[in-house]
Amino acid sequence: MIESWRWYGDLDTISLNQILQTGASGIVTALHEIPYGEVWPRDAVAKRTARIRAAGMEWVVCESLPLHEDIKLGSGDLGTLFAHYRQSMANLAAEGVTAICYNFMPLIDWTRTDLAAPVVSGGTCLRFDAVKMAAFELHMLGRAAAEDDYSAAVVTKAAAWHEASSDDDRAALLNAIMCGLPGAYDRYDIEQLRAALARYDGMTRDDIRANFKRFLEEVVPTAEELGVRLCVHPDDPPRDILGLPRVVSGAEDVAWVMGAVDSVANGLTLCSGSLGAGPANDPVAIARTHADRIHFAHLRNVRKEPDGSFEEAAHLEGDTDMVALARVLLDEEAKRQADGRADANIPWRPDHGHDLLDDLTRDNFPGYPLIGRMRGLAEMRGVIAALKAG
């Protein structure tokens, strides 16, 4: 397995040299400065690749080559958007980047209500609090239908939280939720968010799936020609958010995606944290079922609560059996090596670490600290080494 690290380029406070010191050999990055829907020029890809190689590592996964929102909506000049996506894939492949992670989450990528929730042992973590999310939807956004998405107990607590909250509390909650917006780090106020959500009015789960299938039909054949492996990232969290249907949330969804265009080029980013946040999900079983289509892995853990809340746990301390999960990935690698597959070694990265020690003084991207992720990398490195030896 290829130890990797997500890096945000010039936007990142963590340098390539610091990443090299963690022991990671692969870099997971993207050209974040290019607006969604535009072509990634080959010279820009080449420049990023050369910079990473000069630091002693390789660009092993593009995370992500994002989809313009019109593709998810099924509107606008789709022909041009699909053509641009295919050309960007070609430019990445020409420079040796053949694993491409993406997601199909409408409007907002990941969603959390707290960016620095305290951890009992010290440090902070990302958290999704069902009560705060319900308070945001019902009392700040004014989405009355949200009441059906939460238990009566959560709805009651949400009203109490909102009543007791200060302007600063509500501003912090809005900021945390807006951190999940993709693209050039745009942020919405409440009215802007309502307007953005209105574009999805009337769209059903079947509509989103139809638009997803069209995307796959447009780009997977090109991926096959280029030797590219596309790998969809599961919804985070794996549930509908803000009334938006989500379609990569559980085992049935993943099976649908893999079957929508049945090709090894249409694969999965196995995110154990995203899938693990779903009470009905078994990340190990999902990995075992689709092992031959896993092209990238995000290894992290979460600890769930009965009301739908969850928070990031230390890598070996959450609800998912990370040892069993690593075993599935190593077994798959052995099969690929026996079959002579070019993609036998699966890139993985430690995801969403706790902010620990000096992390608390850095201006990190939420969930992407240096020390916290290095702890996760070291813990999973030990698990993998023990499994290989045993």
Side-chain angles (χ1 to χ4, degrees), residues 200-253:
Y200 281 92
D201 280 354
M203 289 196 69
T204 66
R205 177 181 175 84
D206 287 342
D207 294 329
I208 301 291
R209 273 190 168 184
N211 295 338
F212 194 176
K213 189 171 190 294
R214 180 175 179 181
F215 165 74
L216 292 173
E217 290 170 343
E218 289 280 353
V219 303
V220 170
T222 300
E224 291 173 337
E225 294 170 7
L226 295 168
V228 161
R229 299 292 187 260
L230 294 166
C231 37
V232 67
H233 188 288
D235 302 328
D236 184 13
R239 49 164 290 173
D240 291 356
I241 290 288
L242 303 174
L244 300 173
R246 288 189 158 189
V247 296
V248 195
S249 290
E252 189 271 336
D253 289 336

Side-chain angles (χ1 to χ4, degrees), residues 178-202:
M178 288 301 97
C179 277
L181 279 173
Y185 307 99
D186 291 334
R187 297 291 181 265
Y188 296 150
D189 61 22
I190 292 294
E191 289 305 319
Q192 290 169 331
L193 179 57
R194 287 180 183 139
L197 289 170
R199 297 188 69 197
Y200 281 92
D201 280 354

Side-chain angles (χ1 to χ4, degrees), residues 10-319:
D10 290 330
L11 301 171
D12 210 320
T13 61
I14 300 170
S15 70
L16 286 171
N17 180 258
Q18 288 172 321
I19 295 170
L20 186 66
Q21 292 177 56
T22 71
S25 60
I27 291 294
V28 176
T29 191
L31 303 184
H32 298 284
E33 64 275 15
I34 298 179
Y36 283 24
E38 294 188 8
V39 173
W40 287 15
R42 181 172 175 179
D43 61 349
V45 175
K47 183 177 180 181
R48 178 64 59 89
T49 302
R51 183 176 174 186
I52 293 167
R53 285 178 178 162
M57 294 169 285
E58 291 289 328
W59 185 356
V60 293
V61 179
C62 170
E63 184 183 349
S64 60
L65 181 58
L67 280 66
H68 192 280
E69 205 67 22
D70 282 351
I71 293 176
K72 301 172 190 177
L73 285 159
S75 64
D77 186 1
L78 294 176
T80 296
L81 291 174
F82 291 139
H84 285 184
Y85 203 93
R86 290 190 291 263
Q87 186 60 57
S88 295
M89 288 196 305
N91 292 343
L92 283 162
E95 297 300 326
V97 184
T98 56
I100 298 176
C101 174
Y102 70 98
N103 74 72
F104 213 85
M105 290 180 257
L107 190 61
I108 293 179
D109 287 2
W110 56 274
T111 304
R112 298 293 187 275
T113 59
D114 298 87
L115 303 180
V119 177
V120 172
S121 59
T124 65
C125 70
L126 299 179
R127 176 176 172 80
F128 178 91
D129 189 288
V131 170
K132 288 185 179 180
M133 193 68 202
F136 178 80
E137 293 205 64
L138 288 165
H139 302 287
M140 293 174 62
L141 191 62
R143 193 175 76 83
E147 188 165 331
D148 296 333
D149 296 339
Y150 300 93
S151 69
V154 167
V155 169
T156 299
K157 291 177 182 178
W161 182 91
H162 185 261
E163 179 67 23
S165 65
S166 66
D167 289 343
D168 286 346
D169 293 333
R170 293 190 289 273
L173 178 56
L174 175 62
N175 176 67
I177 293 169
M178 288 301 97
C179 277
L181 279 173
Y185 307 99
D186 291 334
R187 297 291 181 265
Y188 296 150
D189 61 22
I190 292 294
E191 289 305 319
Q192 290 169 331
L193 179 57
R194 287 180 183 139
L197 289 170
R199 297 188 69 197
Y200 281 92
D201 280 354
M203 289 196 69
T204 66
R205 177 181 175 84
D206 287 342
D207 294 329
I208 301 291
R209 273 190 168 184
N211 295 338
F212 194 176
K213 189 171 190 294
R214 180 175 179 181
F215 165 74
L216 292 173
E217 290 170 343
E218 289 280 353
V219 303
V220 170
T222 300
E224 291 173 337
E225 294 170 7
L226 295 168
V228 161
R229 299 292 187 260
L230 294 166
C231 37
V232 67
H233 188 288
D235 302 328
D236 184 13
R239 49 164 290 173
D240 291 356
I241 290 288
L242 303 174
L244 300 173
R246 288 189 158 189
V247 296
V248 195
S249 290
E252 189 271 336
D253 289 336
V254 173
W256 178 88
V257 175
M258 298 299 102
V261 174
D262 190 5
S263 167
V264 70
N266 174 30
L268 175 67
T269 294
L270 179 74
C271 182
S272 55
S274 294
L275 291 170
N281 289 341
D282 181 343
V284 177
I286 292 171
R288 189 177 294 115
T289 299
H290 301 287
D292 64 332
R293 301 277 279 276
I294 295 171
H295 304 315
F296 182 33
H298 290 179
L299 300 185
R300 64 180 172 92
N301 220 330
V302 298
R303 185 176 293 107
K304 298 184 290 294
E305 299 170 23
D307 68 355
S309 303
F310 64 90
E311 66 182 28
E312 308 288 350
H315 281 66
L316 301 182
E317 297 177 6
D319 295 338

